[in-house]
Amino acid sequence: MSKQTPSQRKLAKKIAPHDAGLERWTDWQWQLKHSIRDIETLEKLLGIRYPDDEREKLLKTLEKFPLSITPYYLSLINVDDFRNDPIYKQAFPHPAELILERREMSDPLAEDHDSPVPGIVHRYPDRVLFLVSNVCSMYCRHCTRKRKVGDVDCIPSPEIIEQGLAYLRDTPQVRDVLLSGGDPLLLSDDHLDWILTEVQKIPHVQIVRIGSRTPVVLPYRITDQLVAMLKKHHPLYFNTHFNHPREITASSREALAKLADAGIPLGNQTVLMAGVNDCPRIIKALFHRLLENRVRPYYLFQCDLTEGLAHFRTPIGKGMEIMESLIGHTSGLAVPTYVVDAPGGGGKIPLNPNYLISLSTNKVVLRNFEGVITTYKEPDSYEPIFCDRQCDKCVLHLPLEEAEEYRASGVEMLLSDDSDTISLTPEKTERIERRDQD
């Protein structure tokens, strides 16, 4: 068990003078019980005082977007420079959250539109998002689902969970289920065990993933009992959400080690945020420390167009600069996929610096991370296999127990040999509207 730091011991005594021992501090339910949810408690614990005008703006912000932070995560703040502190910025309100800029949306990813039944988001062909909780141990200020988290009207009831399970059973193309929310680990062990069991009973579901920020903001939730339960449900993957190297503490390392030792592959999704981590050196240090703790950097997200997040967003050019600082300059394991989650439900669009300079019939011109320009010789003789999607008649050995024919969609359909589609045309263009009028 990780030791308390001096600042944590001092903070625990302020929170609960007669109930502040190490065993209580590392009890995740004690942490939740004593979460900070108002400005007065925050000021008392940090020993700060907001000016009256700023305090009034903060209170208005909390009327729309609530505050909740664990004592553990609070203890990581550098009080001497709290306004610039990356932990503080992620956890505490800012009046800019009430500024709604053009193009910002409450549901920027159109998850509600891609929800065939309550609690399920089915955007990609073979996988779904299953929202099993609306509760988090901390309300991140940059959350893309600020419209749902903490809303009592969004709590998934047993009936909603059952509807989600029924949809999964009736949708055989789904092979991958991501449990998210809110935070699935805020459910009890037994309830989460039941959901995992029911999902994994479905024959066509091959893998299950859990998305949780508890290793970052409430590492004590990763108990031996929880890990023993999760270990029963392989193949199980776990994605977490570290945004800054300061978040990787002795307690978080211990939580990650428990999960990794249980054979659960770990990934991380980082959001690029102005004033928090928009620095190549910070991002590289974060990814190196994650790998040291057996966590693979998975995605680097461009900040979404969620309402009230303009003060967090960076230009995409900053993300490209960071990717240039990673690719070739560190091991590939430390290089995530940089993505924009397209507004309107377009899904994740990967972005990378352009390494393809030009190409001809038999040569490709490329450049590397140093700026070296080189060529790759294409084969003089390549005999493609015509693909009509009749997999059971193909000469290639497709390693499936049963050959399955499938239908291409999107850009893949334009490249497909068996499709006569020659273009994908957006609706409601002037040209298409003129055609409709004719």
Side-chain angles (χ1 to χ4, degrees):
M1 181 183 294
S2 301
K3 296 179 180 179
Q4 273 180 300
T5 65
S7 63
Q8 289 173 344
R9 284 195 295 271
K10 182 178 178 181
L11 187 62
K13 289 180 179 178
K14 284 185 177 181
I15 293 171
H18 306 294
D19 190 21
L22 175 59
E23 290 185 1
R24 301 302 289 159
W25 178 264
T26 56
D27 180 341
W28 67 276
Q29 292 175 323
W30 184 94
Q31 288 276 332
L32 290 178
K33 178 182 177 182
H34 293 94
S35 290
I36 293 85
R37 295 186 172 89
D38 61 81
I39 300 297
E40 286 184 356
T41 304
L42 164 65
E43 290 177 319
K44 174 185 173 183
L45 295 178
L46 290 186
I48 63 175
R49 177 70 186 181
Y50 294 107
D52 291 342
D53 57 340
E54 182 179 4
R55 200 166 186 274
E56 184 177 349
K57 292 177 182 178
L58 292 174
L59 291 172
K60 287 182 179 179
T61 306
L62 293 188
E63 289 176 6
K64 184 170 185 180
F65 300 121
L67 165 69
S68 182
I69 177 173
T70 59
Y72 163 79
Y73 199 68
L74 182 77
S75 73
L76 305 184
I77 293 172
N78 176 8
V79 179
D80 294 332
D81 189 24
F82 71 92
R83 292 188 184 276
N84 293 316
D85 188 90
I87 309 299
Y88 175 88
K89 288 186 175 185
Q90 293 181 68
F92 289 99
H94 192 287
E97 293 178 50
L98 295 181
I99 300 174
L100 180 60
E101 294 201 350
R102 189 167 177 263
R103 306 295 186 191
E104 290 184 342
M105 296 160 272
S106 63
D107 181 18
L109 309 183
E111 291 180 332
D112 295 343
H113 293 289
D114 285 327
S115 182
V117 299
I120 292 285
V121 179
H122 192 170
R123 173 168 298 137
Y124 302 100
D126 69 339
R127 53 208 183 275
V128 300
L129 180 66
F130 194 177
L131 302 174
V132 297
S133 167
N134 87 314
V135 180
C136 290
S137 52
M138 187 184 88
Y139 297 156
C140 301
R141 309 318 298 183
H142 58 279
C143 181
T144 197
R145 295 192 192 114
K146 295 177 81 165
R147 70 192 187 280
K148 287 181 178 288
V149 174
D151 184 351
V152 294
D153 294 329
C154 294
I155 297 174
S157 65
E159 292 76 19
I160 288 177
I161 299 296
E162 287 287 1
Q163 286 183 55
L165 291 169
Y167 179 82
L168 296 179
R169 297 184 188 109
D170 294 339
T171 313
Q173 64 265 38
V174 174
R175 49 163 287 279
D176 178 354
V177 177
L178 171 60
L179 303 184
S180 186
D183 198 314
L185 294 197
L186 269 289
L187 301 173
S188 69
D189 291 2
D190 289 343
H191 191 52
L192 183 57
D193 186 18
W194 171 73
I195 293 173
L196 288 168
T197 299
E198 293 302 309
V199 170
Q200 292 182 319
K201 283 180 182 177
I202 302 170
H204 51 266
V205 173
Q206 297 175 356
I207 64 169
V208 178
R209 293 179 284 162
I210 292 177
S212 171
R213 210 182 180 203
T214 54
V216 186
V217 299
L218 186 63
Y220 312 123
R221 175 64 183 101
I222 312 301
T223 63
D224 293 338
Q225 294 78 14
L226 172 68
V227 172
M229 181 274 287
L230 295 176
K231 194 174 180 179
K232 299 187 305 181
H233 293 286
H234 287 306
L236 182 68
Y237 293 76
F238 193 103
N239 282 331
T240 188
H241 178 35
F242 287 87
N243 288 324
H244 195 278
R246 287 253 312 278
E247 295 173 325
I248 301 178
T249 65
S251 295
S252 64
R253 289 195 296 268
E254 185 175 314
L256 294 171
K258 287 181 179 181
L259 292 166
D261 289 345
I264 300 172
L266 304 177
N268 186 74
Q269 302 181 161
T270 293
V271 176
L272 182 60
M273 286 181 282
V276 174
N277 58 12
D278 53 333
C279 164
R281 293 183 65 187
I282 288 175
I283 290 291
K284 186 183 290 186
L286 170 64
F287 293 165
H288 285 175
R289 292 185 189 180
L290 286 170
L291 285 177
E292 284 181 317
N293 289 278
R294 293 176 282 177
V295 182
R296 173 75 159 88
Y298 179 39
Y299 282 131
L300 175 63
F301 276 106
Q302 182 70 13
C303 195
D304 290 332
L305 288 170
T306 305
E307 58 183 1
L309 297 193
H311 62 297
F312 277 135
R313 285 201 295 276
T314 68
I316 287 177
K318 174 55 70 172
M320 297 294 258
E321 175 193 347
I322 288 171
M323 294 304 293
E324 286 277 18
S325 77
L326 296 173
I327 298 172
H329 296 277
T330 189
S331 57
L333 282 173
V335 181
T337 302
Y338 175 41
V339 296
V340 169
D341 217 336
K348 299 176 185 67
I349 300 174
L351 301 173
N352 262 327
N354 193 358
Y355 297 98
L356 173 63
I357 294 177
S358 191
L359 70 164
S360 66
T361 304
N362 38 21
K363 272 189 180 180
V364 178
V365 181
L366 308 167
R367 65 100 171 170
N368 79 342
F369 70 100
E370 299 168 308
V372 172
I373 297 177
T374 185
T375 59
Y376 173 82
K377 178 68 173 63
E378 298 278 44
D380 291 325
S381 176
Y382 170 65
E383 297 182 7
I385 294 175
F386 178 82
C387 182
D388 58 4
R389 296 303 195 269
Q390 303 296 316
C391 297
D392 57 335
K393 299 177 182 178
C394 183
V395 298
L396 295 176
H397 289 206
L398 187 64
L400 296 177
E401 294 180 3
E402 297 180 4
E404 298 176 1
E405 300 171 12
Y406 74 97
R407 182 174 61 85
S409 63
V411 176
E412 182 193 15
M413 181 170 59
L414 298 180
L415 297 172
S416 174
D417 292 328
D418 74 327
S419 174
D420 295 327
T421 304
I422 60 172
S423 66
L424 298 176
T425 307
E427 295 181 1
K428 299 181 180 179
T429 66
E430 290 185 10
R431 180 169 62 91
I432 297 302
E433 287 181 352
R434 283 197 300 270
R435 284 184 180 182
D436 292 341
Q437 290 171 359
D438 295 340

